[in-house]
């Protein structure tokens, strides 16, 4: 068993209050983004229907993006002296994304379910952008970029419902 350090070995350029506020935002974003990557994989493995191949590949793109975003968020937290926590139990307890259904799902149902989860995540990311406005504009910039890409993914899925 490894020992835990009593104090963070990484100092923060932020003040204590800002570090705490930004830490909450980054921790919540990390959980949601890791969960999105897991949801995307679950959908990827279980989608069926006439648009299977296209959607199967599109879900892989979503998973790749979500993994990149979660890594960027975790590294930003670490750079601020905030230990990121991406453990399965933490993600399960703190992600705000609804659980994805088990079993095979028709392509249309997968698109609806992913679009719904992206809707929620985009709203939450926009709240995080606002919350970091004065606390840490650098983190805000990171979140703005991630949000823009999530909105693009949302559009790409939602367009299939038209």
């Amino acid at each position: 068993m490894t020992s835990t350090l009593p104090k963070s070995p990484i100092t923060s350029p932020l003040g204590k209050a800002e570090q705490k506020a930004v830490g909450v935002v980054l921790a919540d974003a990390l959980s949601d983004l890791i969960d999105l990557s897991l949801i995307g994989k679950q959908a990827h493995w279980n989608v069926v229907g006439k648009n299977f191949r296209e959607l199967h590949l599109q879900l892989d793109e979503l998973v790749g993006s979500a993994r990149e975003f979660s890594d960027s968020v975790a590294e930003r937290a670490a750079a601020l002296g905030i230990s990121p926590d991406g453990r399965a139990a933490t993600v399960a307890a703190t992600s705000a994304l609804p659980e994805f259904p088990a079993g095979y799902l028709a392509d249309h149902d997968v698109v609806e379910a992913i679009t719904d989860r992206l809707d929620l995540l985009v709203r939450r990311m926009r709240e995080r952008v606002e919350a970091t406005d004065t606390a840490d504009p650098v983190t805000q910039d990171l979140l703005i970029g991630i949000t823009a890409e999530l909105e693009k993914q949302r559009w790409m899925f939602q367009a299939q419902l038209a």
Side-chain angles (χ1 to χ4, degrees):
M1 176 177 223
T2 59
S3 64
T4 346
L5 300 172
K7 180 181 149 193
S8 174
I10 309 299
T11 59
S12 179
L14 301 178
K16 292 275 187 213
E18 291 82 5
Q19 183 189 30
K20 183 176 180 181
V22 171
V24 169
V25 167
L26 290 172
D28 288 346
L30 181 60
S31 286
D32 285 354
L33 290 166
I34 291 171
D35 198 14
L36 178 64
S37 73
L38 297 171
I39 287 168
K41 263 307 180 191
Q42 179 67 21
H44 168 87
W45 294 323
N46 287 286
V47 64
V48 294
K50 65 180 182 174
N51 295 319
F52 163 79
R53 179 155 173 74
E54 180 182 327
L55 191 51
H56 185 78
L57 296 173
Q58 185 180 12
L59 288 162
D60 258 349
E61 291 174 14
L62 177 65
V63 169
S65 294
R67 287 178 177 168
E68 284 180 33
F69 299 154
S70 60
D71 191 51
S72 294
V73 165
E75 288 179 354
R76 179 67 188 153
L80 297 175
I82 303 159
S83 176
D85 188 351
R87 297 173 297 163
T90 301
V91 172
T94 60
S95 174
L97 301 183
E99 184 177 2
F100 197 80
Y104 293 111
L105 288 174
D107 47 10
H108 185 269
D109 295 337
V110 168
V111 171
E112 280 185 343
I114 294 295
T115 301
D116 289 346
R117 280 149 185 85
L118 285 170
D119 279 342
L120 175 59
L121 182 53
V122 164
R123 281 194 307 274
R124 288 176 54 81
M125 292 301 290
R126 285 181 162 271
E127 290 169 3
R128 293 170 181 138
V129 166
E130 288 180 31
T132 53
D133 181 39
T134 55
D136 184 21
V138 176
T139 296
Q140 183 187 46
D141 185 57
L142 172 67
L143 298 177
I144 288 170
I146 291 170
T147 304
E149 288 300 317
L150 288 170
E151 287 175 348
K152 180 179 175 183
Q153 292 279 346
R154 181 189 163 278
W155 161 55
M156 296 284 189
F157 278 96
Q158 189 179 43
Q160 295 174 62
L161 298 173

